[in-house]
């Protein structure tokens, strides 16, 4: 095993790490917001909203994430090239980059998977707690914001930790559309140094550390509200 | 059988306030003491099933009205119609003279005409449930100040001060930073009562507050309710605790198949009811306990 190449390529790997973390945070944040819409949409009494949410979930969960990324990057992305208005706009530098296509694809993916998780969590909150909120004078919106959603998230924290680690691992697909994330950087190192195992070993450890970090953060969140019977 | 405004107001109720202590509940002192609750000809159906079939009654300041009756007779439904947790198909509910506006929506279902009005009136009706329904992600204190701060826009300091006083009164001052799951059922229900009192409601509504409790915990909750009654708090209480109902009520209403079969003083209902059904029910309850 030789690691002397890290001196030369260290900054590329660090930039890759930063990119991976950005992918994770952006798609985690926007994906969670989308998942809230999908989760409430699935429980909506309006047939159209319920149907739309279910169709979206089925579409996202029924197709491979890699295919979704390709469709967005090669399909939608190449459509943009045909529009001079888009090409001349200030957004173009971003639209050329694979990064934002991956963020969008991951956001949709989180929306679909976590949306379903959120739906389950919302259902799992005892109805009486919501009824008490309404009975004491809370508006429906306040009840959702102060009771229903926080309770659902409290119930779901262990699942959300798992979904977040899953998202972390999904970010590795970004390298397939030339994004220099951790894996992209490792691939570059491999190509230029002809070293196969060391870069891969290094990034495997990197992902592992990130995953443990995510688990730790969620564990801390869980412990903020003590529950009898839990350790 | 609609009890008139002055019928069966209990005269002998002891208003002994315990020396130096502040009352749990400050009774409303209105210049014109009209009824706080005035219900006229309430009807409620669930699908084909008629659950309330023309109920009328009123409650005045200081009244303690117990609702008794067999399972399925509509006691909970009646109580829940008072704060529109169930919306009656027909009839009217007035709280402190203000009628809750209802309308028929496009599906032909009766719904509140103004959600804001209902929310506002609900803060004047403190409700206590069989299953406590505390919010487990908040501490006891947070449960108590939530509605005063978020809905009534009281300052946090003011809400906390009132909440601490209420916890003191229900004997749980030392539990303010506990989460509900660490409390016994009796303690949780006492917190729930304090939470309902935190908005300074004009009426307290209790739906079988002790039915979910282990027998040894019933007493501590009944004691809090009794203290409230002695402080002059107006309340409507659905209960299977006949001895307690007889003891604290100014009036008892016996519900049967969605109607008030008989209403009157506790003595009348428990000793010499006019209705044969009421007599049978009371006797059966008596021999059970
Ligand atoms: N949301 C609902 N949907 C359909 N039916 C209902 C609903 N709520 C109550 N009912 C029915 O209405 C009837 C009266 O119910 P209610 O809860 O008012 O009775 P109760 O007198 O409180 O009985 P208990 O002593 O068992 O609590 C019952 O037959 C019940 O099944
Ligand atoms: Mg009931």
């Amino acid at each position: 095993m030789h690691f002397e190449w890290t001196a030369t390529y260290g900054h590329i790997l660090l930039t890759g790490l930063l990119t991976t973390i950005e992918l994770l945070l952006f798609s985690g944040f926007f994906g969670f917001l989308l998942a809230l819409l999908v989760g409430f949409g699935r429980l909506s009494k309006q047939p159209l909203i319920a149907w739309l949410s279910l169709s979206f979930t089925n579409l996202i969960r029924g197709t491979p994430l890699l295919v979704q990324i390709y469709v967005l990057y090669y399909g939608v992305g190449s459509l943009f090239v045909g529009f001079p208005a888009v090409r001349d706009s200030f957004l173009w530098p971003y639209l050329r980059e694979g990064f934002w296509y991956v963020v969008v694809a991951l956001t949709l993916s989180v929306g679909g998977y976590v949306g379903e998780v959120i739906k389950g969590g919302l259902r799992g909150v005892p109805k009486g707690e919501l009824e008490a909120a309404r009975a004491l004078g809370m508006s429906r919106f306040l009840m959702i914001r102060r009771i229903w959603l926080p309770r659902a998230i409290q119930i779901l924290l262990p699942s959300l930790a798992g979904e977040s680690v899953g998202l972390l691992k999904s970010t590795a697909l970004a390298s397939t559309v030339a994004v220099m994330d951790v894996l992209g950087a490792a691939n570059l190192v491999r190509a230029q140094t002809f070293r196969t195992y060391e870069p891969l070993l290094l990034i495997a450890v990197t992902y592992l550390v990130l995953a443990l970090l995510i688990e730790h953060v969620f564990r801390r969140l869980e412990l903020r509200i003590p529950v009898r019977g839990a350790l | 059988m609609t009890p008139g405004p002055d019928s069966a107001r209990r005269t002998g109720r002891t208003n002994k306030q315990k020396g130096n202590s502040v009352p749990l509940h400050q009774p409303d002192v209105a210049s014109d003491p009209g009824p706080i609750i005035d219900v006229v000809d309430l009807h409620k159906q669930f699908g084909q099933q008629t659950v309330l079939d023309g109920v009328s009654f009123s409650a005045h300041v200081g009244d303690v009205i117990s609702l008794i009756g067999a399972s399925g007779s509509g006691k909970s439904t009646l109580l829940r119609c008072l704060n529109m947790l169930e919306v009656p198909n027909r009839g009217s509910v007035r709280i402190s003279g203000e009628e809750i506006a209802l309308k028929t929506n496009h599906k032909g279902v009766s719904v509140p005409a103004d959600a804001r009005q209902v929310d506002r009136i609900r803060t004047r009706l403190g409700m206590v449930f069989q299953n406590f329904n505390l919010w487990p992600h908040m501490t006891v204190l947070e449960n108590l100040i939530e509605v005063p701060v978020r809905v009534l826009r009281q300052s946090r300091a003011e809400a906390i001060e009132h909440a601490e006083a209420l916890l003191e009164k229900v004997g749980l001052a030392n539990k303010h930073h506990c989460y509900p799951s660490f409390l016994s059922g009796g303690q949780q229900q006492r917190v729930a009562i304090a939470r309902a009192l935190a908005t300074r409601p004009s009426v307290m509504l209790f739906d079988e507050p002790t039915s979910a409790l282990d027998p040894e915990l019933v007493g501590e909750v009944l004691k809090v309710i009794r203290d409230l009654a002695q402080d002059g708090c107006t309340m409507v209480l659905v209960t299977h605790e006949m001895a307690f109902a007889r003891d604290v009520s100014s009036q008892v209403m016996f519900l049967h198949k969605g109607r008030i079969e008989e209403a009157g003083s506790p003595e009348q209902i428990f000793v010499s009811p006019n209705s044969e059904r009421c007599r049978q029910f009371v006797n059966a309850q008596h021999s059970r306990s």
Side-chain angles (χ1 to χ4, degrees), chain A residues 5 8-9 186-196 198-199:
Chain A
W5 48 269
T8 326
Y9 293 96
N187 286 339
L188 186 83
V189 173
R190 284 199 308 159
Q192 296 193 356
T193 62
F194 302 106
R195 296 222 157 266
T196 312
E198 292 90 337

Side-chain angles (χ1 to χ4, degrees), chain B residues 219-253:
Chain B
E220 62 190 65
V221 172
L222 290 184
K223 180 184 176 300
V224 169
I225 300 175
R226 187 191 306 269
D227 287 351
L228 270 176
Q230 285 176 354
D231 287 343
C233 175
T234 312
M235 53 176 105
V236 182
L237 169 74
V238 174
T239 186
H240 287 292
E241 300 282 340
M242 294 301 147
F244 183 72
R246 182 171 176 176
D247 205 28
V248 301
S249 308
S250 56
Q251 190 183 75
V252 180
M253 301 199 304

Side-chain angles (χ1 to χ4, degrees), chain B residues 46-47 49 51 69-78 86 130 207-208 238 240 255:
Chain B
F46 288 115
Q49 187 191 3
V51 177
S71 182
S73 56
K75 306 180 297 292
S76 297
T77 307
L78 175 56
E86 303 291 354
Q130 189 173 340
D207 192 356
E208 299 196 32
V238 174
H240 287 292
L255 236 68

Side-chain angles (χ1 to χ4, degrees), chain B:
Chain B
M1 282 217 141
T2 311
D6 292 316
S7 74
R9 303 284 300 279
R10 177 135 172 236
T11 43
R13 191 137 60 90
T14 43
N15 253 29
K16 55 168 186 284
Q17 304 205 336
K18 289 152 289 166
N20 52 5
S21 75
V22 200
L24 249 179
H25 178 93
Q26 312 280 355
D28 289 6
V29 247
S31 48
D32 170 28
I36 297 188
I37 300 177
D38 191 17
V39 170
V40 178
D41 199 28
L42 226 50
H43 289 258
K44 176 70 186 175
Q45 271 116 286
F46 288 115
Q48 292 300 307
Q49 187 191 3
T50 298
V51 177
L52 294 182
D53 192 13
V55 172
S56 303
F57 78 95
S58 47
H60 290 74
V61 176
D63 279 356
V64 176
I65 298 183
S66 291
L67 283 173
I68 62 170
S71 182
S73 56
K75 306 180 297 292
S76 297
T77 307
L78 175 56
L79 198 71
R80 293 161 59 83
C81 278
L82 299 180
N83 61 5
M84 296 293 142
L85 286 182
E86 303 291 354
V87 183
N89 299 87
R90 196 142 60 81
S92 72
V93 176
R94 274 171 190 278
I95 305 297
S96 306
E98 181 179 356
E99 177 164 352
I100 302 179
L102 299 178
K103 66 174 185 192
T104 308
N105 71 5
H106 61 280
K107 286 181 193 150
V109 181
S110 187
V111 293
D114 178 4
R116 308 266 282 288
Q117 184 203 25
V118 172
D119 290 344
R120 185 163 45 76
I121 286 180
R122 279 172 174 168
T123 62
R124 309 210 298 258
L125 303 170
M127 193 169 213
V128 176
F129 301 85
Q130 189 173 340
N131 296 314
F132 333 134
N133 294 336
L134 294 176
W135 302 309
H137 61 304
M138 299 179 179
T139 64
V140 163
L141 190 68
E142 287 165 348
N143 266 274
L144 262 65
I145 66 172
E146 179 67 18
V147 172
V149 169
R150 303 270 165 184
V151 180
L152 300 179
R153 305 258 163 229
Q154 290 175 11
S155 75
R156 228 183 129 73
E158 180 190 357
I160 288 177
E161 194 183 323
H162 187 213
E164 300 279 14
L166 289 172
L167 286 176
E168 179 87 45
K169 276 296 179 182
V170 299
L172 292 170
N174 56 341
K175 299 287 184 190
H176 52 184
H177 294 313
C178 279
Y179 282 89
S181 64
F182 292 88
L183 301 180
S184 74
Q187 292 172 327
Q188 289 191 47
Q189 191 62 300
R190 285 187 279 152
V191 172
I193 293 172
R195 178 178 69 174
L197 287 167
T199 58
R200 299 185 167 86
S202 326
V203 191
M204 288 287 283
L205 309 175
F206 293 89
D207 192 356
E208 299 196 32
T210 57
S211 294
L213 296 175
D214 292 338
E216 71 271 20
L217 302 177
V218 168
E220 62 190 65
V221 172
L222 290 184
K223 180 184 176 300
V224 169
I225 300 175
R226 187 191 306 269
D227 287 351
L228 270 176
Q230 285 176 354
D231 287 343
C233 175
T234 312
M235 53 176 105
V236 182
L237 169 74
V238 174
T239 186
H240 287 292
E241 300 282 340
M242 294 301 147
F244 183 72
R246 182 171 176 176
D247 205 28
V248 301
S249 308
S250 56
Q251 190 183 75
V252 180
M253 301 199 304
F254 171 68
L255 236 68
H256 178 73
K257 291 193 175 157
R259 288 168 177 276
I260 298 180
E261 170 104 356
E262 181 156 0
S265 67
E267 288 73 21
Q268 179 192 329
I269 299 290
F270 291 110
V271 182
S272 52
N274 300 319
S275 146
E276 178 58 23
R277 269 199 212 95
C278 184
R279 197 183 59 77
Q280 278 173 5
F281 176 79
V282 170
N283 286 344
Q285 295 291 319
H286 188 72
S287 56
R288 230 181 36 169
S289 52

